[in-house]
Amino acid sequence: MTSTSPSAEQMLEREKIANRKKHWVRAVTACNSKCLFCLDADTPRNVYLPDEEVKAELLRGREELDADKVIISGGEATLHPSFFEFVRYAKSIGYDRVQTVTNGTRFSNRAYYKKAMEAGLGEITFSLHGHTPALHDYLTQTPNAFKQLMKGMIRAIRDPWGPIVNVDIVINKQNVAVLDKIIEVAASVGVREFDLLHVIPQSNAYTNREEMFYDVSNHIDVLHKVFKLNRHPGFVIWTNRFPVDYLEGLEDLIQDPHKMLDEVNGRRFMVRNYLDTGKALDCREPDRCEHCFIEPFCTTMDRTMQAQNEERFELWDVGEWTADAASALPSPLPYGIHRIAASVATLDEVADASVPDGVGWELRVAEPGPVPASLQGPLRLIANTVAQLEAWTGGLLPDDAELVAELNRNTAPWMLEHRDVLAALGDRLRVHQPSWEHMKDSLEQDVENPASFFEALNLRVRTTGLPACAAPGTILEEAPLRHKPAHFDWTTGRIDIRPLAKEHVSTFYLSKSLRCRQCPVTDRCEGIHINMVRKQGLKLCVPLEAGPWADDAQAQLLARYPTPPTRVHTGQPTQPGPPSLPGFAQPEGAVIDPLAQVAMRLKAQSKARTKARMEGLPMPAKPYTPRSVS
């Protein structure tokens, strides 16, 4: 077995697979297992969603999300009497692959399995949580579960025209020590792809936390043994919700950060209500949040809402400057915004733009030239190419304008060669490390080891986008807060959930090494962007050692944060729903999860039938219940 780290091409291929457009559609909340770690046990139980609602959601995935893969899920989706019809319908509307995640019970029946294949099911993920019947059946609280799962899984693997087969395992306190043995059992029958899910504090998993939660550091040997199977050409290992700081040396296994979008989507109604009304997510408890995969997003959401409420945003980032962008500027600019950020071909495009008094600009200019005298407001120019740096430092930068030099593989050598030119700009210069939504951009753009760059530059420049260990000798600052039109739903004037989640991934998804716990500024530092870490490794995180820079950095960060910044898991207070964009009303109230609406409707129908039966009245329509399935 090889231990060679994957190449950049292999990592990009994994990212491509992970980012395939896919859509999760729930068919039922019913399940014939009672897993101790179940994340859905607190949803309305035993709901079989009506066919038309499931099909509408399947269609939405194609028409609105452009997904070409769908996962029909539950509960246990195979319990739905229309499961085969859903698979057929999904194929008929253009999904390239239909997948389900299952406990395997139904597929142990040959006839059921055959019907699923005939309908077009293309991928089955079997949930295997123990290497023995005793362990698996205990974790699922279901007698005979292991035997049925293995029977169904072996049938699918041995079918020469069968589906893609893989296994997911929820890693928890009961099975972590034998994780390698679980893999061995599945591999012995032909499974080669595994999704390893770290237990998170939701529903049953939190209720049973004494049995479920474990100290990762106590089991790092067996975990890394299994993770390293991904280096074997015959195996594919995915980690799911696994803490990043325990993956040093195996950064290629850090889950693609876009998984956060799926996790947030699964809680979208709670998120919507928090953004609109300030009603906290039902799961918000600090001792839960410290174990939760989406805690970083929740912290970003809190901070975004707080900045809106306190009017601390600086930039309205319209992207490319067009007539439509100009006409769509909110009036007045909300949330404290006092600069417009835009990309232009030349400065003449905005020379005569009409903007509110005192509003400034942050501009990316493809063809640098003289600054028109008619350009209103304070000016900040962004340089991310050598040509732009040469122009703005060669006499075209007005004395009262600011220059932001973005650090990348092209600009870094130029800046090292022109230290004297940069020094002459003084505090009008800021060097910024961009972050990227996708790792491919980090691979193409980021310099190797930014700390080495700043050590060679040896200038006390203002910096943003990097922690103290990666920008030694500099003046550490926070990047200005920016909002974008794309962050909002322009039918309501409210923050849109998915763009906010993507902004979190591209900008605020940071990570640290376990070694960072020894750093004197760790409580005032949130780390390095996830895609730089995925590309260059957690080795970039170097705890500051006693000396002048450690003292300097600590003094700077203490001045910026007299008390350490709070996060959701450290007790950050909830925020009230921030104001809508100008011209839009505040939300009238909370939204209701359609799943809860279905459950309430079915419950009401059932009660009405019971009452009618007891009072001898005509029976109302029968509620939707599952038909028998052969």
Side-chain angles (χ1 to χ4, degrees), residues 4 15 45 51 101 113 135 200 206 298 326 328 356 360 390 410 413 623:
T4 303
E15 181 174 66
R45 304 310 292 162
D51 291 17
V101 182
Y113 170 80
L135 179 57
I200 60 172
Y206 185 66
C298 291
E390 289 177 338
N410 293 317

Side-chain angles (χ1 to χ4, degrees), residues 25 96 142 181 202 215-216 278 284 310 320-321 379 401 412 430 455 466-467 504 525-526 538 565 603 613 620:
V25 175
D96 178 63
T142 308
K181 298 185 184 303
Q202 297 292 332
D215 187 337
V216 177
R284 184 164 176 150
E310 297 176 358
E320 184 180 355
W321 182 258
L379 179 63
R430 173 163 55 90
E455 288 170 352
L466 288 168
H504 169 74
C525 171
E526 295 183 345
L538 286 164
K603 185 176 181 179
R613 187 181 302 110

Side-chain angles (χ1 to χ4, degrees), residues 21 67 223 283 286 362 387 394 440 505 622:
K21 290 183 178 179
L223 289 164
C283 52
E362 179 186 275
K440 65 180 179 63
V505 167
K622 188 175 181 180

Side-chain angles (χ1 to χ4, degrees), residues 285-363:
E285 300 173 37
D287 64 339
R288 296 176 71 166
C289 297
E290 67 175 321
H291 299 284
C292 185
F293 177 73
I294 73 163
E295 187 274 347
F297 167 77
C298 291
T299 293
T300 291
M301 180 166 56
D302 270 22
R303 291 175 178 176
T304 300
M305 295 167 68
Q306 184 176 8
Q308 286 189 201
N309 286 324
E310 297 176 358
E311 298 192 331
R312 289 192 288 105
F313 277 91
E314 178 183 329
L315 293 155
W316 183 254
D317 191 341
V318 302
E320 184 180 355
W321 182 258
T322 63
D324 288 342
S327 63
L329 288 175
S331 181
L333 290 174
Y335 316 130
I337 292 169
H338 53 276
R339 281 187 194 264
I340 298 167
S343 298
V344 296
T346 69
L347 287 169
D348 291 337
E349 290 185 33
V350 292
D352 299 312
S354 177
V355 297
D357 290 341
V359 171
W361 295 93
E362 179 186 275
L363 298 171

Side-chain angles (χ1 to χ4, degrees), residues 591-607:
V591 297
I592 301 176
D593 184 342
L595 179 61
Q597 290 180 314
V598 171
M600 289 188 292
R601 185 173 73 241
L602 296 180
K603 185 176 181 179
Q605 290 173 345
S606 179
K607 283 186 175 180

Side-chain angles (χ1 to χ4, degrees), residues 107-173:
F107 294 110
S108 66
N109 179 287
R110 184 187 301 274
Y112 189 94
Y113 170 80
K114 184 177 179 180
K115 288 181 180 179
M117 294 303 101
E118 291 171 348
L121 189 64
E123 182 173 351
I124 304 177
T125 299
F126 291 91
S127 297
L128 175 66
H129 309 297
H131 66 304
T132 64
L135 179 57
H136 179 83
D137 293 1
Y138 174 70
L139 285 169
T140 61
Q141 294 288 283
T142 308
N144 211 34
F146 180 86
K147 181 179 179 180
Q148 290 182 308
L149 181 147
M150 292 300 295
K151 185 177 180 181
M153 186 165 67
I154 291 170
R155 171 174 286 117
I157 290 170
R158 291 180 177 174
D159 182 354
W161 297 279
I164 295 170
V165 174
N166 40 56
V167 158
D168 68 18
I169 305 169
V170 175
I171 308 173
N172 60 78
K173 188 175 182 179

Side-chain angles (χ1 to χ4, degrees), residues 477-478 523-526 555-565:
E477 296 186 355
E478 283 188 335
D523 57 353
R524 290 170 173 80
C525 171
E526 295 183 345
Q556 291 189 51
L557 293 173
L558 280 168
R560 187 197 302 174
Y561 307 116
T563 58

